Amino acid sequence: MYPIEEFLARTPRVPLLTGPTPLHPMARFFSGLGVDAYIKRDDLTGIGPGGNKIRSLEFLLGQGIAEGCDRVLAAGPGQSNLCTLTAAACARLGLECELIHNCFRPKEIQGNLLLNELLQVKSHFLGPVTSEERSAYTEQLYQTYLQQGAHPFIIRNGATSGRGALGYTAAVQEMITQCRQQNISSMTIFAPGGNGGVAAGLIYGNALMGNPFRIVIVSVEDTEAVLEAHITTAIREAEEITGIPCPAPVNQLCEITDCYRGDGWGMNTPDSARMVKEFARQEGIFIENIYNSKVLVGMRDWIMEGKASGAVCYLHTGGFGSLFSQY
Ligand SMILES: Cc1ncc(COP(=O)(O)O)c(C=O)c1O
């Protein structure tokens, strides 16, 4: 057992995931390109519309519950996947949850906002304020609850933090077992990079468990240098929590591409917009337009250019709820 596995086994964690999530071959989408293509179904994490944040919430809410929290605050844009998944996880755990959005409440409720209504979560709509103002409001709300004698807990920075990243460190462990069971060796994993939490967890876990995978991070938002800095920060935080140093810098542990982000977060490229339909048509699996479509565009390019071969895996991080607000 690696030291990181021992740490994961003893750190506070609340079971939320209906996992292991499937790792299965992709029959059609990459056919004819000479690779063994797989998909890791983290769109099927089992609570709410599913997605990557459930893995982070296992560790973050695990800590919150260990500290005796009775109320969870999460903040994000109206269509935040993190907010909806936090509300759904809190419903499962019987915790109060409040969401803070930096937008007005739209007249017509769609996508994740509709799911939040069904979850009957309390939502604060602050109007078009900055994310810093949204954070300040959230911290103030937190203080108010503290003064009232309650035990609030904030999910900070969209769950991208050292503790949140541990979700994908644990996912590496899960994928090692699945690859062993399915006789898959030397697999390249393609994953999205937004704030870098998924990437940080994967890279840290992979480095501490013998580097079984090659990891390619497709930036959906920032330049390679900025994303690398975000990932490094999250890994530093994880190291502080675990006491286990990452053995090398991020640029030696993964490859990052920023060639597919277009004009940044939430801005489709012609290829990414086409990909949403192409992938649904060929695999019967839905992806959204902010994270997953860009990863698949990059992955297909890398395969076609001969930069990835053998076993290749697309990490589907979910976001299904937001798809309905994108059309
Ligand atoms: C569906 C989906 N995929 C990927 C990500 C990217 O995660 P990170 O910000 O940790 O890079 C997010 C983050 O919000 C997400 O909602």
Side-chain angles (χ1 to χ4, degrees):
M1 209 189 216
Y2 290 105
I4 188 66
E5 295 181 287
E6 281 166 18
F7 177 85
L8 291 172
R10 67 170 190 268
T11 199
R13 180 176 180 178
V14 62
L16 293 171
L17 189 76
T18 42
T21 59
L23 172 72
H24 65 75
M26 264 193 279
R28 271 164 46 86
F29 190 70
F30 293 104
S31 70
L33 295 181
V35 288
D36 294 325
Y38 294 88
I39 179 169
K40 174 67 173 163
R41 300 296 303 276
D42 274 9
D43 55 325
L44 303 179
T45 45
I47 294 192
N52 56 309
K53 300 292 183 187
I54 292 297
R55 290 191 186 270
S56 305
L57 288 168
E58 285 203 332
F59 288 92
L60 291 166
L61 294 178
Q63 184 198 13
I65 289 170
E67 291 171 2
C69 88
D70 52 17
R71 168 177 310 270
V72 177
L73 310 177
Q79 289 301 327
S80 161
N81 296 313
L82 181 261
C83 284
T84 300
L85 290 174
T86 303
C90 286
R92 170 78 61 89
L93 296 169
L95 289 170
E96 289 294 321
C97 178
E98 291 186 32
L99 303 179
I100 298 97
H101 299 300
N102 47 340
C103 63
F104 290 120
R105 185 185 183 282
K107 277 205 185 77
E108 205 184 324
I109 293 289
Q110 288 174 324
N112 279 323
L113 284 175
L114 174 61
L115 300 182
N116 299 346
E117 290 245 320
L118 300 181
L119 287 160
Q120 300 176 54
V121 66
K122 180 170 179 189
S123 300
H124 303 248
F125 291 97
L126 307 184
V129 300
T130 63
S131 50
E132 288 76 23
E133 287 167 320
R134 189 187 66 201
S135 297
Y137 179 95
T138 309
E139 296 291 338
Q140 208 175 343
L141 195 59
Y142 174 82
Q143 290 301 332
T144 306
Y145 279 125
L146 274 187
Q147 280 155 19
Q148 291 171 359
H151 300 282
F153 182 80
I154 306 185
I155 308 290
R156 291 195 171 82
N157 197 30
T160 295
S161 60
R163 193 168 293 279
L166 293 178
Y168 273 89
T169 302
V172 171
Q173 208 181 11
E174 183 178 307
M175 282 190 278
I176 290 173
T177 305
Q178 288 178 311
C179 285
R180 200 173 294 139
Q181 286 163 348
Q182 298 183 40
N183 281 324
I184 305 168
S185 60
S186 308
M187 188 164 82
T188 303
I189 300 171
F190 288 82
N195 288 333
V198 171
L202 278 180
I203 292 162
Y204 186 56
N206 198 48
L208 296 180
M209 289 183 240
N211 282 301
F213 304 118
R214 176 184 175 202
I215 297 174
V216 180
I217 304 299
V218 180
S219 175
V220 302
E221 182 167 0
D222 290 310
T223 61
E224 187 185 322
V226 171
L227 178 56
E228 189 183 317
H230 287 326
I231 297 170
T232 302
T233 302
I235 291 180
R236 287 292 94 83
E237 286 175 18
E239 289 172 327
E240 269 174 39
I241 293 166
T242 63
I244 305 171
C246 190
V250 166
N251 62 8
Q252 288 174 25
L253 297 172
C254 73
E255 290 144 277
I256 300 175
T257 171
D258 59 13
C259 294
Y260 303 96
R261 67 196 172 107
D263 290 329
W265 192 90
M267 308 300 281
N268 299 337
T269 63
D271 281 344
S272 72
R274 261 196 306 275
M275 185 58 80
V276 174
K277 292 183 180 169
E278 250 182 89
F279 196 68
R281 178 88 184 95
Q282 292 199 46
E283 292 290 340
I285 296 171
F286 296 108
I287 55 170
E288 47 63 69
N289 230 334
I290 294 176
Y291 298 96
N292 287 282
S293 56
K294 290 179 180 174
V295 177
L296 274 169
V297 172
M299 180 173 171
R300 185 169 61 184
D301 256 26
W302 275 47
I303 292 168
M304 289 173 75
E305 290 168 10
K307 292 198 283 188
S309 57
V312 290
C313 175
Y314 157 55
L315 174 61
H316 189 334
T317 53
F320 188 58
S322 64
L323 178 62
F324 295 91
S325 70
Q326 295 174 355
Y327 289 89

